[in-house]
Amino acid sequence: MSKTSALDLASGLGGKIRKDQVKSAVDQYEKYHEIYGGEVESRTFNYADLANKYYDLVTSFYEYGWGESFHFGSRWHGETLRESLKRHEHFVALQLGLKEGMKVLDVGCGIGGPLREIARFSSASVTGLNNNAYQISRGQELNISVGLSETCNFVKGDFMNMPIPDATFDASYAIEATCHAPDALGVYREICRVLKPGQLFALDEWCMTDKYDPGNARHQSIKAEIELGNGLPDIRTTRQCIQALKDAGFEVVSVKDLAEDSPLPWYLPLDSSQPSLTGFRLTRVGRFITQALVKTLECLHLAPEGSLRVSNFLETAADGLVKGAKEGIFTPIFFVLARKPLDKQAHT
């Protein structure tokens, strides 16, 4: 079961970090980012530490507010947030043509929400790759709780250097995960390597759109807020991601920014001007209540020191995401379907 109570939130804060070291981890994490004097070069070089600290610090918040699937999706009128996320996961499975007997890789799988939904929907066997020990332990608990421990599993490893043999999988997908990579070409090349020739890769990527102007100070500020609040080295443009896929050895089958024609905005749960009952914890009021709860838990020493600061930079993330979306300079659901050629191995 997801950890959705206040005590669950308190007990999970910090992940695998010792509770007396959470404040120090927050200090180190913040210093990676421009808002606190950091530089993109440092985040890129230390990408694994950046992502690990981030997910140790925020996974409990994510699970408390978002559930088991840490991603966005297009949304229909009358559809709850959870229904939209499940539909998106089914969309990924259908794009890949998944079916029973196929071995599938989920690159950067979080605690395995999409992994479990896709496995149940398609009857495929899904392996989740993750470099964060706390998220893997949570994912294993959840797999057991729903009876999927035989068909779904996890591998701990860096997606820039996967501990997986060549040509292992019949399909692969990455849902809003490879944005944590220091180098798009490197991670896409590794995905291509572990796919069997002729097989498909489905990608949801966080990207700056063609409307992003790197010389615009407001655009730079919004981008920095998103990077701070989401543990990202440097958000790439849509054009850079497409080119990196091609350079990695993929054939690009189709490309679509799913945010463009979504009936309801993907950022709706985060938008303070749009109240929501189905995603209340994600609304401005819900996030305010969560911050007050975390402050109280920290004062009572039920949550480690530094927890409120984590809640604060997640608030910065929400504001940055909404601003980036409304200005049209950012999308978290830039979808690409790519194929590893039958007659080529991954580029080395």
Side-chain angles (χ1 to χ4, degrees):
M1 296 290 291
S2 294
K3 292 186 174 181
T4 57
S5 74
L7 289 178
D8 286 331
L9 174 62
S11 66
L13 287 170
K16 292 289 187 181
I17 299 171
R18 277 177 36 188
K19 301 306 180 187
D20 62 347
Q21 294 180 350
V22 167
K23 181 179 179 295
S24 173
V26 175
D27 289 339
Q28 295 169 40
Y29 174 80
E30 289 178 338
K31 288 177 182 176
Y32 279 128
H33 295 274
E34 278 91 345
I35 294 172
Y36 294 91
E39 298 178 346
V40 64
E41 291 80 11
S42 176
R43 294 197 302 278
T44 300
F45 182 77
N46 296 289
Y47 72 94
D49 182 62
L50 174 70
N52 258 308
K53 279 191 171 62
Y54 178 75
Y55 281 112
D56 272 332
L57 293 169
V58 308
T59 294
S60 184
F61 283 99
Y62 273 26
E63 199 171 350
Y64 176 77
W66 212 261
E68 296 175 21
S69 294
F70 305 161
H71 65 88
F72 295 100
S74 62
R75 189 168 168 188
W76 295 340
H77 291 282
E79 190 176 44
T80 67
L81 173 64
R82 180 57 193 138
E83 287 168 346
S84 73
L85 300 183
K86 288 178 69 172
R87 178 172 54 79
H88 184 75
E89 291 155 8
H90 297 174
F91 165 79
V92 170
L94 291 169
Q95 289 290 306
L96 292 170
L98 302 187
K99 58 186 179 181
E100 188 173 4
M102 293 180 72
K103 292 176 60 179
V104 184
L105 179 65
D106 180 333
V107 180
C109 62
I111 62 172
L115 176 154
R116 286 181 290 278
E117 186 62 35
I118 286 172
R120 285 182 291 221
F121 179 73
S122 67
S123 298
S125 297
V126 187
T127 295
L129 178 72
N130 194 325
N131 206 24
N132 183 269
Y134 176 68
Q135 288 199 332
I136 288 178
S137 67
R138 279 294 296 138
Q140 290 169 333
E141 291 172 7
L142 291 165
N143 280 4
I144 292 170
S145 73
V146 296
L148 286 174
S149 57
E150 296 299 318
T151 55
C152 296
N153 69 298
F154 295 91
V155 171
K156 188 178 187 305
D158 184 345
F159 54 24
M160 300 298 292
N161 184 24
M162 300 184 193
I164 297 169
D166 295 356
T168 295
F169 291 99
D170 302 303
S172 179
Y173 62 87
I175 299 179
E176 303 178 30
T178 51
C179 50
H180 291 287
D183 167 30
L185 173 59
V187 68
Y188 297 160
R189 182 181 284 155
E190 274 292 272
I191 294 166
C192 193
R193 179 183 66 79
V194 301
L195 268 180
K196 295 176 182 177
Q199 302 308 306
L200 293 169
F201 168 50
L203 172 69
D204 278 335
E205 191 65 277
W206 282 35
C207 292
M208 307 311 294
T209 71
D210 288 343
K211 293 182 180 180
Y212 173 71
D213 177 4
N216 182 308
R218 176 169 169 79
H219 288 188
Q220 291 174 358
S221 176
I222 291 170
K223 179 173 178 283
E225 288 180 356
I226 296 171
E227 289 166 347
L228 166 67
N230 295 280
L232 305 180
D234 185 24
I235 307 173
R236 292 169 280 271
T237 67
T238 55
R239 294 175 186 270
Q240 287 173 327
C241 289
I242 292 171
Q243 188 59 54
L245 282 164
K246 293 176 180 178
D247 291 344
F250 282 108
E251 297 171 347
V252 174
V253 176
S254 63
V255 175
K256 174 71 174 176
D257 182 357
L258 299 177
E260 290 182 346
D261 56 4
S262 177
L264 290 174
W266 61 265
Y267 58 85
L268 187 65
L270 305 176
D271 189 354
S272 60
S273 67
Q274 301 291 327
S276 169
L277 293 178
T278 58
F280 177 73
R281 286 179 176 174
L282 301 172
T283 64
R284 172 76 72 177
V285 175
R287 300 197 310 265
F288 175 80
I289 292 172
T290 298
Q291 283 189 301
L293 172 64
V294 172
K295 184 176 182 179
T296 301
L297 291 170
E298 190 171 324
C299 288
L300 295 173
H301 303 291
L302 295 174
E305 186 180 2
S307 298
L308 183 59
R309 287 166 61 192
V310 177
S311 181
N312 288 338
F313 69 64
L314 288 175
E315 184 71 13
T316 298
D319 290 343
L321 289 168
V322 172
K323 286 186 285 189
K326 288 187 173 181
E327 297 210 8
I329 64 171
F330 171 77
T331 176
I333 42 177
F334 185 67
F335 180 79
V336 184
L337 186 67
R339 187 187 306 275
K340 180 176 179 176
L342 274 170
D343 57 348
K344 294 181 182 179
Q345 297 297 317
H347 292 188
T348 57

